[in-house]
Amino acid sequence: MSDLFDAVDALVASRAVLPPAEERKRLRVAHGLTLDEVAAALQVRRATVSGWESARKPTEPRGPEREAYARLLDRLAELYPVTEEQPAPEPSPDGAESTPPPAPTTEAAAPVPAPAGPGTPKPAPAATPAKETGDRYEHGPLAVVDVIDGTALAYCVGGLVLEVPAKSLATLVEWTLAEAKLGQPKLSGPGKPADPLLVLTEAALERYGLPATLTDEQRLAGRLPENHKAVKGLTRADWKLTKRGFGPWARIYRPAKGGDRQCVQLCVPSWHALDSRHWGYAAQLPPAELARVLGVYASRVMTPRGSTAVTGLELMTALHPPTHAVRDEETGALRQADEKTPGSLGREPVDPAPCEAPDGHPLLADLPRFHIRGPAEKLNEESFDWARPMTDAECTLRHLIGLDVNLAFGAGANGLVVGLGAPTHVKNPVFDPKLPGSWLVDLSHADLSRVRTGKDTWAELDPTLLPSPFTPKGDRPEGPAWYATPTVAYAVELGYEVRPTEAYVRHDNGRYLDGWYHRLRDAYLATMADLGVHADMDPAAFLAAMDGYKDRDPELAIVTTAIKATVKGGIGKLRERPRGEGWRPGRRWRALERPTWRPDIRAAVIARTRVNLHRKIVKHAAYTGQYPIAVNHDCVVYASGGPGPLDLLPYRNGKPLPGGFKLGVNPGLVKHEGTQSVLWGEEIRERFDAPELNLARYIKDGTVVDTDNGE
């Protein structure tokens, strides 16, 4: 009988009467509760609670969540009753308000509180005055512009919604600079504030005369044609576009007058501005949720300036601007200094050393047409791509475990001394590990059979089971080759003699990337902490927290992916290759005109990242006798008797091996990439007839794509 009564109680609770969405939000805010706190208490997603509070079309909770939500609202209603000055709206059968809000006008912008979820609230009448704080960037760094029932709305960070009176693209830019109060303060003393960013939905594109998608021709060109109606309208209003034109990331500006910068950036998700490889499904998010994702990224990294790679490069410049203002001694007016800002790369690009130049660079124009440069002519610092067959002993084990290094390239950049100016060519130099540059040296004698693992400690290793740290493929060098400073320094650390015969060194140097690394590290750790993964966790707690962490807040998980892509992409952009535009080998391409086109810095970061990983591999082998079977970039795979990292890694009294692999969220520490069976590894190697197939590429989920057969 009690079961029947429980069923009846549950049935009644499933139809619990809820107040309208506006009252639900009022009660939550009155008690100081965030959407995240309510979601956690009810064991639902943040976006679900936001949908329950949506003023335009609220969703309704069901089942046990409805009963718990109703109980929460009843308790809050007792604590915060409606006053006479603030009557509660009458509930309607579908839970929405029975009377619509006042019709919007198209005059000056008016801020309106809005939920952070997918709701689309109506703006308040324009007569409602905006909050005057005197803050130039009061409404945050960016806004997502959408059109609802003919009214343009700008969804800002923090749930604020502004009514947008602009009817044309030109007046939208004018409104943004004059009234929207969007932008972001500068990140360094001599730097510049970030320009406001507008993200245009498809409805906004239609309102402002822009296509919802680009044609194949426009997509290949990366922009609209100059004779497009919208582009011509900007030109008539005296607005200009940068050289990349009106594409997915368009910059619209007028020449600065004095210190008054006039520039607005547009982002068009439906033109593939938000690459799904780096931004997940962000382009499909409702406006308010997209504003939240981009806003978190902007506040912790910087306002996006393009792809994550472009933003990563721009962050370097924002933290180390090439110029700074000085006061003219004669006139007293401010002007740009003649010399570069200390610690920056300066305003003018510098050519690399010939060995650092990629194929097709103008420095190599005199080489024979089909000449292939060997290791003694070309610096080849790249990430690991190495694998070997499993030994008989490893085949008796049951599991393959992948370990992935967190923000590996960021950790490689931390504390790294890089060149800031042009290289100096020297013959028969004495190697200096503190001097950044490229060195021609023979490391073929480094066989890894005996290596130094400490100041006075050595280890005997099996070199056939280890990748060489001196080549990306892990092969032992066969003669003289060019190496970046971190690689040669690691050879010395392992106990090998080095005698360079030639070098290109940079006496003007510094730790250019430190601030860049620290900002991205802090952004990553803060976002991971929001997802429940903290830096001070013990190994078991860390592994448990990482299990399904993306499901706790999928929107914040998008931010972590974007931050990681910003690190990798920013380093990659330091050696950007030609991108069409009719380029031919031997001619300059656009990227070469940037001071941040620095292949030597990219090489140094990658070299240090690679030797950092190799150092951990050597320490692990010396201590445990276990060797990797595959290494791919920042992922390393071992055979193990147990299925988890703690079955593989040597922890004693909760402490890891010094200098070896350590579980944790900090950059340079490792996380569990995935576990597959040894049988899985042997089966796919046999299927592809490749005993050295790099299993580190597929260890995450076990999916292997046959690019030849499309399977």
Side-chain angles (χ1 to χ4, degrees):
M1 185 66 69
S2 61
D3 292 341
L4 293 176
F5 289 164
D6 290 341
V8 170
D9 290 342
L11 186 62
V12 173
S14 69
R15 299 293 188 272
V17 178
L18 299 178
E22 184 184 62
E23 178 65 3
R24 301 173 194 177
K25 181 178 180 181
R26 184 192 74 81
L27 292 171
R28 175 180 61 80
V29 173
H31 200 59
L33 298 176
T34 66
L35 290 170
D36 291 316
E37 290 172 327
V38 175
L42 301 180
Q43 299 180 5
V44 297
R45 291 180 53 204
R46 179 186 189 276
T48 301
V49 180
S50 178
W52 295 344
E53 295 183 359
S54 172
R56 180 171 175 81
K57 191 177 181 181
T59 56
E60 293 298 307
R62 300 180 184 279
E65 289 84 6
R66 187 181 184 93
E67 178 184 6
Y69 190 43
R71 180 174 300 184
L72 170 66
L73 295 176
D74 287 343
R75 292 289 304 278
L76 293 178
E78 294 175 4
L79 295 172
Y80 308 99
V82 178
T83 63
E84 293 183 0
E85 291 78 11
Q86 187 185 13
E90 293 295 327
S92 59
D94 61 358
E97 296 177 13
S98 57
T99 57
T105 66
T106 56
E107 298 176 13
V112 184
T120 52
K122 285 283 188 177
T128 305
K131 180 181 178 182
E132 294 294 339
T133 65
D135 187 352
R136 181 178 177 185
Y137 310 118
E138 179 183 351
H139 297 153
L142 55 90
V144 180
V145 180
D146 194 22
V147 178
I148 305 295
D149 296 337
T151 300
L153 303 174
Y155 291 75
C156 305
V157 175
L160 179 72
V161 179
L162 305 176
E163 181 184 335
V164 183
K167 299 293 187 182
S168 68
L169 196 57
T171 56
L172 175 64
V173 176
E174 297 274 8
W175 171 83
T176 302
L177 294 172
E179 301 180 47
K181 295 186 178 181
L182 296 174
Q184 190 175 36
K186 58 187 179 182
L187 297 180
S188 65
K192 298 177 181 178
D195 299 317
L197 171 65
L198 296 182
V199 184
L200 304 183
T201 67
E202 291 190 32
L205 293 175
E206 181 180 359
R207 178 185 179 92
Y208 296 114
L210 297 167
T213 58
L214 297 178
T215 65
D216 290 343
E217 182 179 355
Q218 293 167 352
R219 182 177 52 80
L220 290 173
R223 65 183 72 191
L224 294 177
E226 294 184 2
N227 61 357
H228 191 278
K229 183 178 179 180
V231 177
K232 292 166 67 176
L234 290 172
T235 303
R236 285 195 300 270
D238 295 327
W239 290 105
K240 299 179 180 295
L241 293 165
T242 58
K243 290 182 180 180
R244 60 182 174 184
F246 204 123
W249 291 91
R251 298 187 67 78
I252 304 172
Y253 73 97
R254 284 176 181 154
K257 297 179 181 179
D260 186 17
R261 180 177 173 86
Q262 299 185 74
C263 185
V264 173
Q265 178 153 312
L266 303 183
C267 167
V268 187
S270 65
W271 296 2
H272 304 292
L274 301 175
D275 191 323
S276 60
R277 294 171 298 176
H278 309 143
W279 288 102
Y281 60 93
Q284 283 74 52
L285 287 173
E289 296 187 19
L290 179 55
R292 180 196 177 215
V293 168
L294 295 177
V296 171
Y297 179 90
S299 66
R300 294 177 177 176
V301 179
M302 70 180 299
T303 304
R305 296 285 301 272
S307 67
T308 50
V310 168
T311 303
L313 197 68
E314 291 286 346
L315 180 61
M316 297 179 194
T317 302
L319 294 169
H320 285 289
T323 63
H324 58 283
V326 295
R327 194 166 297 281
D328 192 290
E329 295 181 358
E330 296 182 0
T331 65
L334 290 175
R335 62 174 178 81
Q336 291 293 330
D338 296 328
E339 69 281 357
K340 72 170 187 174
T341 303
S344 77
L345 299 180
R347 289 179 289 182
E348 301 299 326
V350 297
D351 280 336
C355 63
E356 298 164 349
D359 294 337
H361 192 280
L363 287 176
L364 311 175
D366 294 335
L367 290 178
R369 183 176 180 184
F370 297 107
H371 177 74
I372 298 177
R373 294 186 294 163
E377 300 173 276
K378 179 180 180 181
L379 180 69
N380 186 30
E381 295 285 14
E382 299 294 341
S383 302
F384 271 128
D385 181 3
W386 171 87
R388 63 169 175 82
M390 282 186 272
T391 65
D392 292 343
E394 288 167 339
C395 287
T396 65
L397 302 175
R398 297 183 59 187
H399 304 282
L400 298 177
I401 297 177
L403 303 175
D404 182 75
V405 182
N406 298 314
L407 290 189
F409 294 101
N414 183 30
L416 180 65
V417 177
V418 300
L420 301 179
T424 300
H425 186 215
V426 292
K427 289 283 190 177
N428 299 314
V430 176
F431 176 68
D432 182 354
K434 298 180 180 179
L435 189 59
S438 300
W439 310 78
L440 182 62
V441 59
D442 189 349
L443 296 178
S444 59
H445 59 289
D447 65 356
L448 301 183
S449 60
R450 187 171 187 268
V451 299
R452 183 190 288 124
T453 56
K455 184 177 181 181
D456 300 310
T457 58
W458 295 76
E460 305 290 337
L461 302 175
D462 185 345
T464 65
L465 302 180
L466 284 172
S468 167
F470 309 122
T471 63
K473 291 293 184 181
D475 302 324
R476 182 173 172 177
E478 297 180 350
W482 285 98
Y483 303 100
T485 297
T487 302
V488 185
Y490 184 55
V492 174
E493 177 186 325
L494 292 176
Y496 298 106
E497 183 182 22
V498 299
R499 292 183 179 180
T501 58
E502 191 177 351
Y504 288 90
V505 297
R506 289 171 170 83
H507 298 288
D508 179 14
N509 56 62
R511 293 166 60 159
Y512 175 72
L513 295 172
D514 272 13
W516 179 84
Y517 160 74
H518 290 145
R519 186 162 180 87
L520 288 165
R521 175 203 62 190
D522 293 347
Y524 181 71
L525 292 180
T527 310
M528 289 299 290
D530 289 341
L531 289 166
V533 185
H534 301 276
D536 56 354
M537 288 180 159
D538 63 61
F542 168 72
L543 291 173
M546 286 294 293
D547 186 18
Y549 77 96
K550 292 185 177 181
D551 297 330
R552 294 180 197 131
D553 191 328
E555 295 168 18
L556 281 184
I558 292 174
V559 178
T560 65
T561 303
I563 293 171
K564 290 186 286 187
T566 303
V567 175
K568 277 190 175 181
I571 297 300
K573 272 283 184 178
L574 291 166
R575 199 192 67 171
E576 184 178 356
R577 303 306 302 274
R579 304 179 66 182
E581 301 177 346
W583 175 81
R584 293 181 180 178
R587 296 183 180 180
R588 295 186 72 83
W589 60 92
R590 186 189 303 178
L592 299 188
E593 309 310 319
R594 294 194 323 249
T596 49
W597 192 84
R598 293 296 301 270
D600 57 299
I601 296 180
R602 174 188 178 274
V605 172
I606 293 177
R608 193 159 185 248
T609 303
R610 191 181 67 247
V611 301
N612 281 350
L613 180 56
H614 195 273
R615 184 182 294 109
K616 292 179 172 62
I617 291 172
V618 165
K619 292 289 181 75
H620 187 84
Y623 192 82
T624 67
Q626 296 170 326
Y627 293 84
I629 64 168
V631 186
N632 187 52
H633 301 302
D634 47 10
C635 178
V636 56
V637 174
Y638 286 90
S640 172
L646 291 178
D647 298 309
L648 173 70
L649 300 183
Y651 274 82
R652 285 189 175 179
N653 299 321
K655 294 183 179 180
L657 166 69
F661 295 105
K662 179 181 178 181
L663 291 166
V665 71
N666 280 294
L669 305 188
V670 297
K671 63 179 180 291
H672 184 204
E673 180 70 359
T675 295
Q676 304 297 330
S677 69
V678 168
L679 290 177
W680 164 85
E682 288 297 274
E683 188 274 329
I684 61 172
R685 282 181 164 180
E686 182 178 344
R687 189 203 324 165
F688 289 98
D689 192 22
E692 296 183 2
L693 182 72
N694 195 328
L695 300 177
R697 298 175 187 161
Y698 317 111
I699 194 71
K700 188 169 187 176
D701 60 11
T703 302
V704 183
V705 177
D706 184 346
T707 54
D708 293 331
N709 299 324
E711 297 179 0

